Amino acid sequence: MVLPALAVAFAVGIALGVELAARGWLLGALVTGAALAGLVGLAAWRRFWALLPVLGAAAAGLCAGAVTLRAPVAPPPSEPVALEGRVERPPERDGHGRTRVLLHCGTARVQVTVAAGAVGLLPGDRARAVVRLHLPEGFANPDGLDARRLARARAIDLVGGVRSADELVRVAGPPQRGPWRAAGSLRARLGALVERAVPAGPARGLLLALTLGDRGEVAPRLDDDFRASGVTHVLSVSGLHLAVAAFLLYAGLRWLLLWVPALALRLEARRVAAAASIPAVWAYALVTGGAVATCRSAVMATVFFAGIAAARRPFGPAAIAAAAIALLVQAPLALYEPSFQLTFAAILGLALLAPRLAGRGTGLWQRLRRFGAASLAATATTAPIAAYHFHQVAPAGLIGNLLVVPLCELLVLPVGLGALALGCLWPAAAAPFLRVAALGAHAMAAAAHGVARLAPAWQLGTPNLCQIGLYYGTLAACVRARKKLALVLAGGLLASVAVQQVGRLLSTDLVVTFLDVGQGDAAVLELPHGRAVLVDGGGSFEPSFDPGELVIEPFLRRRQVSRLDLVVLTHPHPDHMNGLVRILERFEVGEFWEPGEPAPEAPAYRALRELVAQRGIAHGPPETRTLGGARIDVLGPLGGAHLGRSTNDNSLVLRVRYAGRAILLAGDIERASEAELLGAGADVRADVLKVPHHGSRTSSTPPFVAAVAPALAVFPAGAGNRFGFPHPDVMARYLCPTLITGRDGAVTVRIRRDGSLSYTSVRYHGPGGSMIASGAAW
């Protein structure tokens, strides 16, 4: 049990080091270092020598986590720069048509995202582009994804993007040779072979993803089907794919050794074949792109075959711990990646839980029982991690694995990989076999779609760490047959969930969160007694960016919101509308408001209205409403939307009142609507103003600002946006504190029942410098 203890200590040390580094690590490191030194001294004094390696592993993890997170990166210039670097890995495509290229530029690694077009670059090529660089900070929302930590885990220092592949130019000159280039070249040739043999469609996309790790043709809807049916792991080149690829060589070598009597007498076929399979695993990992998850699976496969070669148990606790240590030493922040957590949770489930569920026996029935036990064990051990990161659990995974995995393991992968191996020598002969593999891929897609339709995934609120701990404690107690302890822990888990939900229903605070969705607008209103309203859904002119999926839904799940009483679209522009489709599809919605554009020409707007009708969501004219004790007044557009106004001036204007306070949500109205509201005598006074039109010079006229007289102004504007929002002249008109979502992160305003009001932001940049949160109350 030495290696498992070291692995746990090293992981705990990394987590502690990262948290200390994120909160000002110098003082924390000194205190923790002193504590560890004291423990080492105590262990030596009491002669607990076994604790010394564990404490040493924890100290090493502490240093690794703190240093890796805080590795210095020079801030990029604010203007676009001419960037030149060497391509490190094969370019990675995704289902939205984008391609990510990792360039090694001197002392920094830059990930350049190409929005459209085929990128004809290979590892070792030098490439040049004019790019506006950013630190990989992502969106700053409460308890949101830490993009910086994820980027550091993947060795990415800076990020940038270009619109088309033509803007990322290959620099003339000899490329750098090496295994990555050879693997990338082979991958490109084999991908072209598949594209010639199989027509475009879901089957070809799946075949490319399963055999070569290229997910560029896996459509988002197909990806959703695989996730809902609990078999999304099949789409990644993971342990299953590597095992099948290596097994083909392993079985062939073992058969050859046994077929030759002289070799069979001198060598142990099983052990020699396993040792020879290890290079095949890493060769396949390189050809499929060498992604982080693939390399992690290659390490696990190496441990498996090394265990066979050494005549040891392949997946014992020591082997699993050795693989975890090897991975974390190479990339400490991989500890925070969902794929790392899911991989080891599934392996532990297969090693510890599946044998107890399967029992003993022989024959076909027992084999089926073992397969079902393995599926159940993996689903049970990964469920809380999936709920935490992806906000859903797929109970249909038990059925999906029984249908999809055999097709993949017994047909698509063996035939597809065999055809590609044959294609290296005789391309014309590979085409029929690739078409057979494509038929299997088509059956996989149909099975995943059917399972997803019949048994959709359960959408869940995000569990907290206490609930995850209680769940795993209950599972461990069940494995150890401790029934009383299991009942106690399960009761604690249910009580924790109940307290969470009852707390929402009993809350008397009104909380408004202006989310950071980039250059867009989205606000979540959590009203007293568990009521919730979403005003706008963010978005951009890049249709592949879905703020509903990436920002709004995760935020609502973390806040345990499963039903929205009201969803409001202030006006049908992409930066307010594009994220709403995801929300309307995946949440129960009571009512939908929109201004009713007289001539809805935009296809996305028409599709949104059709979705509202399809879901049977109430869609009446906006009118004053009271929800949870808060009053929502509709101030504009006066007389309803009409063709005489621009789309911006047709925006819905809402004033939310509670406990003597008011919050004004002004949409994107401009001078004309501001003057119209003031001329009609509308009461626009508010303590908090969501500034109209992101701080454009066409809005926030001095009379309007004076009439509102806000104590806090929030500008929903993306950092470095191409419109220059908010304009400095507009900001100067507001004599109150001002916060910008793209600079300060999401802004949360809380109004208590006694009328006191406070606000916080995720990150605040003011005269005092940068801090985690800043707030005020009055």
Side-chain angles (χ1 to χ4, degrees):
M1 295 299 289
V2 175
L3 277 177
L6 292 178
V8 171
F10 190 57
V12 170
I14 290 172
L16 183 59
V18 167
E19 295 306 319
L20 292 175
R23 287 167 171 77
W25 76 291
L26 181 58
L27 177 60
L30 290 175
V31 172
T32 307
L36 284 173
L39 290 174
V40 169
L42 179 63
W45 177 53
R46 300 294 297 176
R47 298 185 179 181
F48 294 150
W49 306 117
L51 287 179
L52 294 180
V54 175
L55 294 174
L62 175 70
C63 296
V67 171
T68 305
L69 183 65
R70 295 184 64 87
V73 178
S78 58
E79 298 299 321
V81 298
L83 184 72
E84 182 175 325
R86 175 173 50 82
V87 180
E88 279 208 347
R89 302 283 179 87
E92 296 181 8
R93 299 192 297 166
D94 64 18
H96 298 286
R98 297 172 299 205
T99 304
R100 294 181 176 85
V101 182
L102 184 62
L103 297 180
H104 189 193
C105 308
T107 59
R109 288 179 173 85
V110 181
Q111 179 177 274
V112 178
T113 300
V114 181
V119 177
L121 294 171
L122 292 174
D125 286 339
R126 294 197 68 81
R128 180 188 296 122
V130 177
V131 180
R132 188 188 297 273
L133 297 176
H134 306 277
L135 291 171
E137 294 183 334
F139 302 107
N141 292 296
D143 301 319
L145 175 70
D146 192 330
R148 178 189 173 201
R149 184 179 298 172
L150 185 61
R152 295 299 306 159
R154 298 173 179 175
I156 297 171
D157 300 311
L158 298 168
V159 295
V162 295
R163 294 186 179 181
S164 70
D166 296 335
E167 298 179 39
L168 185 62
V169 183
R170 183 180 181 275
V171 178
Q176 183 179 17
R177 304 290 177 180
W180 277 115
R181 183 172 183 82
S185 177
L186 178 59
R187 184 192 195 192
R189 288 196 292 115
L190 295 177
L193 181 64
V194 174
E195 291 170 359
R196 287 195 301 270
V198 181
R204 188 171 84 180
L206 277 178
L207 190 57
L208 287 170
L210 296 175
T211 58
L212 295 175
D214 182 0
R215 298 182 61 164
E217 295 189 26
V218 177
R221 289 291 181 184
L222 181 60
D223 190 64
D224 288 341
D225 284 343
F226 272 74
R227 182 175 291 112
S229 57
V231 290
T232 188
H233 59 89
V234 172
L235 295 178
S236 300
V237 177
S238 58
L240 171 66
H241 305 67
L242 287 163
V244 172
F247 178 76
L248 296 175
L249 179 62
Y250 170 73
L253 285 176
R254 188 180 180 192
W255 176 82
L256 179 63
L257 291 172
L258 292 174
W259 187 70
V260 180
L263 294 177
L265 292 173
R266 293 175 178 271
L267 302 172
E268 188 174 343
R270 182 170 176 266
R271 296 174 64 181
V272 173
S277 298
I278 294 176
V281 165
W282 286 101
Y284 183 55
L286 290 176
V287 169
T288 54
V292 175
T294 307
C295 291
R296 182 178 306 120
S297 299
V299 171
M300 295 302 303
T302 300
V303 171
F304 177 80
F305 284 114
I308 295 176
R312 301 291 297 273
R313 185 183 176 190
F315 272 146
I320 298 172
I325 292 173
L327 290 167
L328 292 175
V329 166
Q330 188 270 333
L333 295 183
L335 178 68
Y336 290 90
E337 287 203 67
S339 56
F340 179 93
Q341 299 168 11
L342 290 168
T343 295
F344 282 94
I347 290 171
L348 288 171
L350 294 174
L352 304 177
L353 183 58
R356 294 179 178 272
L357 296 174
R360 297 181 180 181
T362 57
L364 178 60
W365 170 247
Q366 182 59 24
R367 290 184 180 181
L368 292 175
R369 185 176 175 183
R370 287 177 183 173
F371 189 84
S375 178
L376 178 59
T379 301
T381 52
T382 58
I385 299 174
Y388 183 83
H389 291 291
F390 308 116
H391 326 292
Q392 66 179 25
V393 172
L398 298 175
I399 303 172
N401 279 286
L402 290 173
L403 295 177
V404 176
V405 172
L407 284 169
C408 175
E409 186 176 357
L410 301 178
L411 176 58
V412 179
L413 276 176
V415 176
L417 292 174
L420 292 178
L422 178 62
C424 294
L425 305 173
W426 189 5
F433 295 100
L434 287 172
R435 283 192 280 269
V436 172
L439 291 175
H442 182 76
M444 287 177 60
H449 180 71
V451 172
R453 290 288 301 273
L454 292 174
W458 298 345
Q459 309 301 323
L460 303 174
T462 305
N464 56 42
L465 295 181
C466 175
Q467 291 166 348
I468 293 174
L470 288 170
Y471 175 89
Y472 280 121
T474 303
L475 196 62
C478 291
V479 170
R480 303 292 296 177
R482 303 288 180 84
K483 295 182 180 180
K484 292 184 179 180
L485 179 59
L487 289 174
V488 171
L489 293 174
L493 175 60
L494 294 176
S496 173
V497 174
V499 167
Q500 210 170 41
Q501 296 301 321
V502 170
R504 286 192 66 247
L505 295 176
L506 296 180
S507 172
T508 57
D509 292 351
L510 185 152
V511 181
V512 181
T513 305
F514 301 95
L515 293 171
D516 176 14
V517 290
Q519 181 49 40
D521 209 328
V524 176
L525 286 70
E526 297 172 79
L527 307 177
H529 310 303
R531 299 299 188 97
V533 174
L534 172 64
V535 179
D536 288 328
S540 72
F541 293 96
E542 170 55 50
S544 63
F545 168 60
D546 186 351
E549 175 186 2
L550 299 177
V551 178
I552 301 172
E553 181 181 0
F555 175 80
L556 293 173
R557 301 294 182 194
R558 287 192 297 271
R559 300 294 296 174
Q560 306 300 316
V561 175
S562 59
R563 184 183 190 277
L564 291 164
D565 296 273
L566 175 63
V567 171
V568 179
L569 171 63
T570 59
H571 64 291
H573 276 169
D575 56 338
H576 293 249
M577 176 177 62
N578 283 5
L580 292 181
V581 171
R582 174 88 174 190
I583 302 304
L584 294 177
E585 287 179 339
R586 297 169 70 90
F587 285 82
E588 181 186 351
V589 176
E591 191 172 359
F592 178 74
W593 285 0
E594 47 102 10
E597 192 74 7
E601 298 295 335
Y605 184 32
R606 290 200 301 269
L608 183 67
R609 299 177 82 171
E610 290 170 2
L611 177 61
V612 170
Q614 178 185 340
R615 293 292 310 275
I617 299 171
H619 183 201
E623 57 185 16
T624 297
R625 193 68 46 87
T626 299
L627 291 174
R631 181 182 174 91
I632 303 175
D633 294 317
V634 181
L635 303 184
L638 293 174
H642 57 74
L643 288 170
R645 301 191 189 99
S646 67
T647 298
N648 282 338
D649 275 325
N650 269 331
S651 294
L652 286 176
V653 179
L654 307 179
R655 186 169 181 256
V656 182
R657 292 186 289 164
Y658 179 68
R661 299 286 188 173
I663 298 175
L664 185 65
L665 306 172
D668 273 4
I669 60 171
E670 299 179 305
R671 293 189 185 96
S673 282
E674 290 179 0
E676 191 175 33
L677 286 172
L678 297 181
D683 186 358
V684 295
R685 292 174 299 168
D687 300 280
V688 179
L689 170 66
K690 197 288 296 181
V691 175
H693 203 192
H694 317 282
S696 164
R697 284 183 294 183
T698 61
S699 304
S700 295
T701 57
F704 180 78
V705 174
V708 177
L712 173 68
V714 179
F715 292 81
N721 66 84
R722 61 191 176 98
F723 305 103
F725 296 155
H727 195 276
D729 293 346
V730 173
M731 292 192 69
R733 296 172 193 165
Y734 289 93
L735 304 180
C736 60
T738 58
L739 293 172
I740 307 171
T741 56
R743 181 194 68 186
D744 305 309
V747 179
T748 301
V749 176
R750 180 181 296 271
I751 302 175
R752 294 175 176 82
R753 186 169 54 180
D754 61 4
S756 62
L757 185 150
S758 62
Y759 68 87
T760 60
S761 63
V762 173
R763 54 174 182 248
Y764 172 77
H765 298 273
S770 175
M771 59 190 75
I772 298 297
S774 174
W778 63 89

